[in-house]
Amino acid sequence: MVLNPGLGMEYHWQALPPDWPGNFWWHWLAFSVIILAFVLGLVMGFIWLERRGIGRFQIRLGPNRTGPFGLLQPIADAVKVLLKENIVPAAADKIVHWLAPLVAFVPTLMIFAVVPFQDGALLADLNVGVLYIVAISSISTVGIFMAGWSSSNKYSLLAAMRDVATVVSYEIPVVLSLAGVVLLAGSLSLNQIVMAQDIPFILLQPLAFLLFFIAASAEINRTPFDLLEADSELVAGFHIEYSGMKFALFYLTEYAEALAVSAIIATLFLGGWRGPVLPPWLWFVGKVVAVFSVMFWIRSTLPRVRIDQLMALAWKFLLPLALINLVVTAVQVLAWPEASLWAMVPVNVAIMAALVVTWSRLLKLGGGRVEV
Amino acid sequence: MKFEHFGTGIIKGLAVTLRHLFRKPITTQYPEQKLTTSRRARGNELVWDITKCTACGTCAKACPQGVIRIVTSAKPVENRYVVEKFEVDTGYCIFCGLCVEACPFQSLLMGYSYERAKYRRHEVVHTNEMLLPSAKRPASGYMYPKLAKALPPQTLLIERDEVKG
């Protein structure tokens, strides 16, 4: 059973032609501008939303002095950080120190090249889209490690090494859980995957969604897994020695990565731009914001994990479950009758519940079970 | 075999924060919104009642910081002392309230206000008339429960909704 993308489906909104406003270069220019505006605008929005949202989750108000509802807070932050002095440590590796923020930020921006905002509305409809995302998103880590190394500061280096360890461990469950989605859709192109989601894949692949959400949050160092920025132990992580514009780029990268993960989850699991009545791009942005809201809800709730807990979660919990999920999905794709696709939803939810409950018994930390 | 450690704690925690989302924020937005302090508060100023003062100097002796300077002169007609200068350097004052407790005539009281930051050093030294009670400088009920009863009760955080603008 492979879901035939785009067959027999009537869309209210027409698909954009592959070289939309004119020829190849106009397409390139238009989508570069759209992606930059989308990323910068939504990152600003996310910073505001997260600070206000976490405030409300903690019964506070959050920043509310700059502009109505504190809406200008990210702009005030940006202006402040741009006016700061650029300090480079005397013992720093100057070139690497200068290059690191760029190496971290650019790949994050490149992820959005393959994320569709509407049917066919994307910079490059790569037929290896998912592979491209997985490959390109790992490069940011090099930037972070460059930052940690070149600062010649032990805390930076420690934080950077923690980040590399996290990414190496969590890349595997990320890829394996994405493989389930790819099997189901029968394509690696993100636009094709969206087309295949007559039923959003969060229902058909609940376990993959859970694993991807946890693993991706860990990979971008969102709070339960923010070991590399652990304020209380590593000062500020890899960007201790950064200030001014370079620090702003790292801050931007952090939120751009969160935006990228939200966009990938929205595209792969929540049906991307698909939805009734409203224009597709609005559905897409709405889903992205919804996913991000869940992320900062979790951030406002959970305390930081230890490094051994982080590794144990990746290798003892996420990896085996991702493998099992891949096998189960493969069997289902081969053997499931195509007519009764909706019946797969309760079956897969039941499989997820059974696996999570039973596998949690095997997740032991520190050589023995600590009852708390 | 018990099934319990499979993320129930995480879900409970998420439910707690979700409930917080629908609660009223407990933030008091200070310059616009002010809570009434305790009726027995020791604010950072002293209030001096010149009519009750006999210039005995007990307050100055009780002060552990030596903050109070009092210059007196004899007034033979009425057979009493008069205060010529009563000076409190609140820059050194630790607001312990010992002078208030020492005063035998209820003439020296703790102030009520807490917004006494100044730009110049000499502005925190209060002399004679600056120490007198007024509407702007009410006395707190520190040491004197009868005075405290007349003051508005303290705003508790649970009642803060009544404090507006």
Side-chain angles (χ1 to χ4, degrees), chain A residues 38-39 46 55-56 60 157 190 217 224 237 253 283-284 288 303 328 368:
Chain A
F38 174 77
V39 172
F46 275 12
R56 293 309 308 271
R60 295 183 287 117
L157 188 59
L190 265 68
S217 307
T253 309
W283 271 105
F284 178 68
V288 168
V328 168

Side-chain angles (χ1 to χ4, degrees), chain A residues 37-76:
Chain A
F38 174 77
V39 172
L40 293 180
L42 229 53
V43 161
M44 292 275 202
F46 275 12
I47 291 172
W48 176 81
L49 189 69
E50 176 155 32
R51 293 189 63 181
R52 292 284 289 183
I54 284 191
R56 293 309 308 271
F57 276 123
Q58 296 169 348
I59 346 176
R60 295 183 287 117
L61 280 170
N64 64 348
R65 295 280 144 168
T66 41
F69 308 107
L71 269 170
L72 298 177
Q73 187 64 41
I75 294 165

Side-chain angles (χ1 to χ4, degrees), chain B residues 10-31:
Chain B
I10 294 172
I11 291 164
K12 275 181 202 164
L14 288 173
V16 168
T17 40
L18 191 63
R19 274 200 299 279
H20 285 178
L21 196 58
F22 301 104
R23 282 174 62 178
K24 194 174 158 49
I26 67 170
T27 313
T28 308
Q29 304 199 55
Y30 166 61

Side-chain angles (χ1 to χ4, degrees), chain B residues 71-88:
Chain B
V71 180
T72 58
S73 60
K75 201 175 181 185
V77 184
E78 290 174 31
N79 193 22
R80 57 174 285 209
Y81 280 119
V82 204
V83 182
E84 284 187 350
K85 191 172 190 184
F86 191 88
E87 189 181 83
V88 182

Side-chain angles (χ1 to χ4, degrees), chain A residues 310-333:
Chain A
L310 185 80
M311 289 299 135
L313 185 68
W315 294 105
K316 294 180 181 173
F317 186 78
L318 297 181
L319 174 65
L321 287 199
L323 280 170
I324 293 172
N325 180 60
L326 188 60
V327 173
V328 168
T329 312
V331 170
Q332 281 174 342
V333 166

Side-chain angles (χ1 to χ4, degrees), chain A residues 16 20-21 26-42 109 112 115 117-118 121-123 281:
Chain A
L16 283 182
W20 162 59
W26 280 117
H27 180 77
W28 179 83
L29 183 70
F31 274 99
S32 301
V33 172
I34 287 174
I35 286 170
L36 269 175
F38 174 77
V39 172
L40 293 180
L42 229 53
L109 201 59
F112 294 95
V115 174
F117 298 88
Q118 195 174 326
L122 67 174
L123 181 56
W281 61 270

Side-chain angles (χ1 to χ4, degrees), chain B residues 7-81:
Chain B
T8 41
I10 294 172
I11 291 164
K12 275 181 202 164
L14 288 173
V16 168
T17 40
L18 191 63
R19 274 200 299 279
H20 285 178
L21 196 58
F22 301 104
R23 282 174 62 178
K24 194 174 158 49
I26 67 170
T27 313
T28 308
Q29 304 199 55
Y30 166 61
E32 289 97 37
Q33 217 180 8
K34 285 174 191 168
L35 304 182
T36 316
T37 47
S38 162
R39 291 192 278 192
R40 297 184 189 181
R42 283 180 283 178
N44 44 15
E45 64 184 4
L46 288 174
V47 176
W48 177 53
D49 190 346
I50 193 166
T51 55
K52 289 182 186 166
C53 185
T54 59
C56 64
T58 316
C59 48
K61 281 191 176 165
C63 181
Q65 297 293 99
V67 154
I68 300 174
R69 272 185 66 219
I70 177 160
V71 180
T72 58
S73 60
K75 201 175 181 185
V77 184
E78 290 174 31
N79 193 22
R80 57 174 285 209
Y81 280 119

